Amino acid sequence: MFDEIPTSRPDTPLLDRIEDPAALRDLKEKELDTLADELRAYLLYTVGQSGGHFGAGLGVVELTVALHYVYQTPEDRLVWDVGHQTYPHKILTGRRERMGSIRQHGGLSGFPKRSESDFDTFGVGHSSTSLSAAQGMALASALNGDDRKCAAIIGDGAMTAGMAFEALNHIAHTDTDMLVILNDNNMSISPNVGGLATYLSKVWGSKFYNSLREGSKQVLTKIPSAWEFARRTEEHFKGFMSPGTLFEEMGFNYVGPIDGHDIGNLVSYLRNLREVKGPKLLHVITRKGKGFGPAEDDPVGYHALNKLEPKLAPRKKPSGPKYQQVFGDWLCDIAERDERVIGITPAMCEGSGMVGFAQRFPERFYDVAIAEQHAVTLAAGLACEGLKPVVAIYSTFLQRAYDQLIHDVALQQLDVTFAIDRAGLVGEDGPTHGGTFDLTYLRCIPNMVIAAPSDENECRQLLYTAWQHAGPAAVRYPRGSGPGTTIEPVMSALPLGQGRECRQGKNVVILNFGASLPAAMEAAERLDASVCDMRFVKPLDTELVERMAAQHELLVTLEENVIAGGAGAAVSEYLALKGVRSMWLPLGFRDEFVDHDTPRQQLAGQGLDAEGIEEAIRQRLGTSGK
């Protein structure tokens, strides 16, 4: 057990011999516990050097070792759900010495990535996709006449998503030969591990039981009534003694729950189940943060870790509160004055800044787990009854509920406010979490109001403006801290669809949408350009756009969103329809997925820092020195 992150590389003689899982499979089974201990120590050390998500990884060390020991990877397919689990997997699959580069420029991804390794069978940054992907691989294997095995590892949180249950249903329907491993780190279930439950799990996972089960099936299926009686008897007995009734009813051979940290038992169960045909589900109980005391005590707080800095290094203080805090404070303030306010989040209570609201207004707070579609339609139903739901959701998570956004909210013009967090680039979490498309996919939806605040106070006031609007409205804001603008405690609704002039200059005007305003102002000072903070993407301040186009030689649109179909496109479309001729320079994200890096470097790489904005304008004007 570790109480602190190791600051020097631990001694790992056994782990150092493992360059790939083939070397792991050369070990004696009695050596696996030692390997797991070394792997856990090395994981803690490397995350301390680079930062990253490590709580989930610590919890699956033994499971990861056992899977690569039993399965012939990469020929056999292991599909991980929620990429945070895969740090031990990366260490064992030839990337040990590169772990210090994880989530850094040019380094390893923090998630499985197909282009990074043959052992990463499916890319995943969010959750609940493993079952569908693994089923596709298993069905393809059967169609191609291959004998490879497929296993999906999914957490209990990821299992809450509707997509996971859709996959479970289809796996059973097609009788797909694959293993589902339910990695359960919910402590409320852990008392079931032990005593009779453990004994019965050993029975249900044994070769003898499964061969007897299959043999009986072949005999009794010829007598339908007898087979149905035997099947029901087995299911009811398992249901009485274990939580597996649901999976058995769906058509899975359920085994568990078992201790996910007992590596010997894991190897035994996996060996047996690897030979069993059809849909199988192994239920393992693990402890998130296993082996690191602080993470075991506070798995939420230690979900991820920042890079350990030298003790004497001065810390750079953020210039303002995080936008998530601005949102959380606003939500509590508005809930104080209006009992109709309901807060909804799909498993992002901490990340979205809703902890305070959940504590103060528990009867008006709903964390629906990883179920984005349900979150949006739940809000629609609440709005139908006159309540005022606010959905706090990451930009990339809202993509997963796009149909519900259109059909269940916008089409019916329901009064739902969307607080869209993580808009724009998000740094080390990379393209799977970058909110680079929301202005585009929201702008084409009728009845939507879309606001993009440029600072903390504007975020607060635009949230209030959106909430006051009697219809669907979205406020999108970035991850992290703002520029440090003083936040006015009084909430005032801003004029809908009206921007503001921030700086008057000559020849060039920058129409800024969102958090890029400080960079726009810095570039404008050097260019003596005008700057407008547009505030709204929809409705667009068309009067301001026309006036700026008439007064300036070059009109520049700036947004932290893809250029295709975004805020700049809205400006261009409007001017084209009005027949206004204007030289236009759209600045935003290029037509590519932006790889992980620091947020600052990501913006610079896209030419959206002050220097990049200035240079792009000079090039368009033909005055660039480059």
Side-chain angles (χ1 to χ4, degrees):
M1 173 73 74
F2 291 87
D3 293 320
E4 294 182 352
I5 302 292
T7 55
S8 59
R9 193 191 190 287
D11 186 28
T12 57
L14 200 56
L15 179 63
D16 293 345
R17 292 162 46 190
I18 309 301
E19 296 301 329
D20 57 38
L24 166 62
R25 291 189 283 271
D26 287 338
L27 297 179
K28 297 177 181 178
E29 192 172 326
K30 63 182 180 181
E31 296 178 290
L32 297 183
D33 281 316
T34 301
L35 177 65
D37 291 341
E38 292 183 8
L39 178 55
R40 182 169 279 113
Y42 186 77
L43 173 60
L44 279 169
Y45 165 72
T46 54
V47 172
Q49 299 303 303
S50 61
H53 302 88
F54 74 119
L58 288 173
V60 296
V61 165
E62 288 82 6
L63 178 59
T64 305
V65 171
L67 281 166
H68 281 294
Y69 192 69
V70 172
Y71 282 82
Q72 299 298 308
T73 55
E75 180 63 22
D76 287 340
R77 309 301 199 218
L78 299 182
V79 183
W80 295 89
D81 214 306
V82 186
H84 302 151
Q85 300 182 83
T86 58
Y87 285 24
H89 161 81
K90 287 175 180 276
I91 293 171
L92 292 175
T93 53
R95 289 165 279 183
R96 181 182 66 245
E97 299 306 319
R98 294 187 63 206
M99 287 300 291
S101 72
I102 202 161
R103 301 168 76 238
Q104 297 177 17
H105 178 71
L108 297 177
S109 169
F111 307 101
K113 189 175 181 179
R114 283 172 55 82
S115 61
E116 187 177 288
S117 171
D118 290 339
F119 293 92
D120 290 0
T121 58
F122 196 74
V124 57
H126 292 333
S127 76
S128 314
T129 58
S130 63
L131 304 188
S132 300
Q135 185 191 13
M137 295 175 190
L139 291 175
S141 178
L143 290 170
N144 293 332
D146 298 328
D147 192 35
R148 68 168 55 100
K149 302 297 182 181
C150 296
I153 305 95
I154 185 169
D156 54 330
M159 191 67 92
T160 62
M163 184 176 177
F165 282 90
E166 292 173 17
L168 286 171
N169 183 63
H170 193 229
I171 291 167
H173 176 73
T174 56
D175 198 35
T176 304
D177 183 17
M178 62 176 286
L179 173 65
V180 175
I181 298 175
L182 174 56
N183 173 30
D184 187 346
N185 54 36
N186 187 334
M187 301 309 294
S188 65
I189 302 177
S190 60
N192 291 327
V193 181
L196 184 58
T198 301
Y199 170 75
L200 291 173
S201 295
K202 289 181 178 179
V203 173
W204 295 332
S206 69
K207 286 185 177 180
F208 174 77
Y209 173 81
N210 281 286
S211 62
L212 181 63
R213 187 179 193 267
E214 290 304 307
S216 300
K217 180 178 180 179
Q218 293 177 14
V219 173
L220 294 177
T221 48
K222 298 177 182 178
I223 313 173
S225 59
W227 165 244
E228 181 64 18
F229 175 77
R231 187 180 69 83
R232 288 288 181 180
T233 300
E234 179 190 43
E235 287 179 359
H236 288 310
F237 183 64
K238 283 187 175 181
F240 177 71
M241 302 309 299
S242 80
T245 306
L246 170 65
F247 303 112
E248 288 283 347
E249 288 288 343
M250 295 184 79
F252 281 80
N253 182 9
Y254 170 88
V255 175
I258 68 169
D259 183 356
H261 300 297
D262 185 333
I263 203 163
N265 270 344
L266 283 170
V267 168
S268 177
Y269 283 118
L270 290 171
R271 278 177 174 159
N272 292 337
L273 290 174
R274 190 177 184 277
E275 305 307 317
V276 175
K277 299 295 184 181
K280 307 163 285 288
L281 190 143
L282 177 62
H283 184 174
V284 302
I285 305 297
T286 61
R287 182 157 189 162
K288 193 172 184 179
K290 173 71 173 176
F292 181 54
E296 288 191 18
D297 295 337
D298 182 13
V300 173
Y302 281 86
H303 171 65
L305 185 73
N306 292 326
K307 178 180 178 180
L308 293 181
E309 301 290 352
K311 291 183 178 180
L312 298 179
R315 290 189 175 184
K316 183 180 179 181
K317 294 183 179 180
S319 55
K322 291 183 177 181
Y323 281 99
Q324 294 72 38
Q325 180 183 338
V326 174
F327 164 72
D329 292 344
W330 168 81
L331 187 62
C332 289
D333 291 345
I334 200 69
E336 283 280 7
R337 65 164 67 179
D338 195 322
E339 293 183 353
R340 297 176 298 162
V341 173
I342 306 293
I344 302 171
T345 182
M348 289 293 116
C349 179
E350 292 82 11
S352 293
M354 298 185 75
V355 173
F357 178 84
Q359 293 172 344
R360 291 175 59 184
F361 307 98
E363 72 286 354
R364 289 192 269 160
F365 170 71
Y366 297 101
D367 185 339
V368 302
I370 303 174
E372 295 86 0
Q373 294 170 297
H374 170 60
V376 173
T377 305
L378 171 65
L382 290 163
C384 285
E385 300 302 319
L387 297 179
K388 296 277 286 183
V390 177
V391 180
I393 190 166
Y394 290 6
S395 173
T396 48
F397 293 177
L398 186 55
Q399 293 167 186
R400 307 177 85 176
Y402 194 52
D403 181 69
Q404 287 69 30
L405 180 62
I406 295 174
H407 286 261
D408 298 343
V409 177
L411 178 63
Q412 303 184 84
Q413 236 173 328
L414 291 173
D415 190 359
V416 179
T417 301
F418 294 91
I420 303 178
D421 194 357
R422 268 61 168 183
L425 299 173
V426 293
E428 292 83 355
D429 282 339
T432 59
H433 284 61
T436 58
F437 309 111
D438 54 78
L439 294 185
T440 300
Y441 70 68
L442 289 171
R443 192 173 72 80
C444 64
I445 302 175
N447 300 327
M448 285 295 303
V449 167
I450 310 166
S454 60
D455 60 43
E456 304 93 329
N457 183 58
E458 201 166 85
C459 183
R460 177 177 173 85
Q461 307 309 332
L462 284 174
L463 283 165
Y464 182 67
T465 305
W467 182 80
Q468 289 277 40
H469 173 68
V475 181
R476 58 106 67 173
Y477 46 88
R479 178 186 189 181
S481 301
T485 304
T486 301
I487 300 175
E488 299 172 7
V490 176
M491 291 179 282
S492 304
L494 302 177
L496 201 64
Q498 184 173 316
R500 64 187 177 104
E501 294 184 59
C502 300
R503 187 184 193 282
Q504 290 186 343
K506 302 174 182 178
N507 299 326
V508 177
V509 60
I510 303 173
L511 304 183
N512 174 78
F513 296 85
S516 295
L517 184 61
M521 292 293 289
E522 186 177 339
E525 287 292 334
R526 300 171 189 164
L527 295 162
D528 192 19
S530 299
V531 178
C532 294
D533 176 18
M534 297 303 293
R535 288 179 170 167
F536 293 91
V537 178
K538 189 175 183 180
L540 185 66
D541 190 339
T542 55
E543 186 278 328
L544 183 58
V545 169
E546 280 197 71
R547 181 156 49 86
M548 291 297 108
Q551 295 173 0
H552 298 83
E553 175 187 349
L554 174 63
L555 188 148
V556 181
T557 56
L558 177 61
E559 60 190 301
E560 292 190 15
N561 187 81
V562 291
I563 294 173
V571 171
S572 177
E573 290 163 10
Y574 174 77
L575 292 176
L577 288 171
K578 295 292 289 186
V580 176
R581 291 180 176 272
S582 178
M583 185 163 59
W584 170 51
L585 173 61
L587 296 180
F589 301 141
R590 294 188 285 268
D591 187 23
E592 62 189 27
F593 290 104
V594 183
D595 207 358
H596 62 270
D597 206 334
T598 65
R600 190 172 188 175
Q601 288 300 113
Q602 284 182 321
L603 288 173
Q606 292 289 309
L608 297 182
D609 58 355
E611 292 75 15
I613 295 167
E614 178 188 359
E615 178 59 24
I617 294 172
R618 290 192 185 281
Q619 285 188 11
R620 178 55 60 90
L621 294 173
T623 61
S624 172
K626 293 185 178 180

